[in-house]
Amino acid sequence: MKILYYVSSHGYGHISRSYEIIRKLVTSSAVHSVTIASDRIDFIQDNPAKISLRKASLDVGVFQRDSISLDIDVTLQHLEAFEKNKNSLMEAEAEYAIQEDFDLILSDSASLPFIIGIEAKIPTIFIGNFTWDYIYSNFGKYNPNFSVIANILKIEYSFATSAFILPFHCPMDGFMEMHKVGLVGRRSNLDKESARAKFNFNKHKKYFLFSFGAYGLKDIVWNWESIPDDWIIVCSELAGFESDQILNIPQTYYPDLVRAVDFVVTKPGYGIISESIYAETPIIYTDRGDFAEYPHLVQTLEKSHPSSYISQTDLLRFSFSECIAKIQDTDRNKLTKLALNGESDILALILQIF
């Protein structure tokens, strides 16, 4: 089986989880190869057998000023330009899929690959926890053109042969066939003590990992003087987040860092939530703008993992004490356990259906 796997270029969450799925797929003798098509292929640093990389972008996503604020106007401009050129892109991708003789097309989470599949007569699978029509329909209150585009995308999604739905999912009613799968995400092979030793963490200090993904934290004024002496702010090459009070740990396997720290400080996104759950590291989360996925992430997060909300005002002051107290008071026995190992679920479903 030759698989063409389209991955959204929006942030890092799509490519990080998709790569975990792909690594699982190529362990099967039934899978001959997987071609990853994305603008985020630079995220992949190794060179595994049976996997090839191809630069391509089949969705717009949402443009962001930084990781906690959206740029709605720029998003619409790019969406409208994409729609104008969509037919030629679809035809070129369908011709490529036919020439390369792919047996299956997967998409996390663009809608256009399902039209490509119809054109190339290749079955298709959606993988994700939201669809872009759901995100853009929420923006219709800012400009009606978002609603028009959302309706187009919803039709495109309906052509998927099947849909594999991840945890933390938004409403999805446009697919003909749906299967719920377990959590997908990167994970560390280290226990907590070994991870802390890897980074030479001091057992008498609390470590807070600031994890704000692909878009960084730009032009934000932080109250560095308010950080207690026994708290250490940690990041790994976070754009725009600079101070001599930050412990920056570059070029490391990120799930090991998530495992090592005491708390992850973030805006809710699928990738960092899944990695924190696998690492068993509590989350302090803040707002991320009017992104329709947010309430669904937060709702499941609060039911299934030690976590606490912090306002952006308190975030800038590093006022974590109340969040820490809430997390420490969490009765973990009352938390809902999520289904894990979604990568294995997906491989099993593909082998069963196709």
Side-chain angles (χ1 to χ4, degrees), residues 268-288:
Y270 186 96
I272 189 60
I273 290 177
S274 65
E275 290 174 16
S276 298
I277 289 173
Y278 276 119
E280 299 180 336
T281 300
I283 293 175
I284 297 172
Y285 66 91
T286 193
D287 303 296
R288 60 176 295 186

Side-chain angles (χ1 to χ4, degrees), residues 239-258:
F241 194 55
E242 299 172 358
S243 169
D244 57 7
Q245 292 182 256
I246 297 171
L247 174 60
N248 181 34
I249 303 176
Q251 298 178 337
T252 190
Y253 183 54
Y254 203 72
D256 287 346
L257 195 52
V258 175

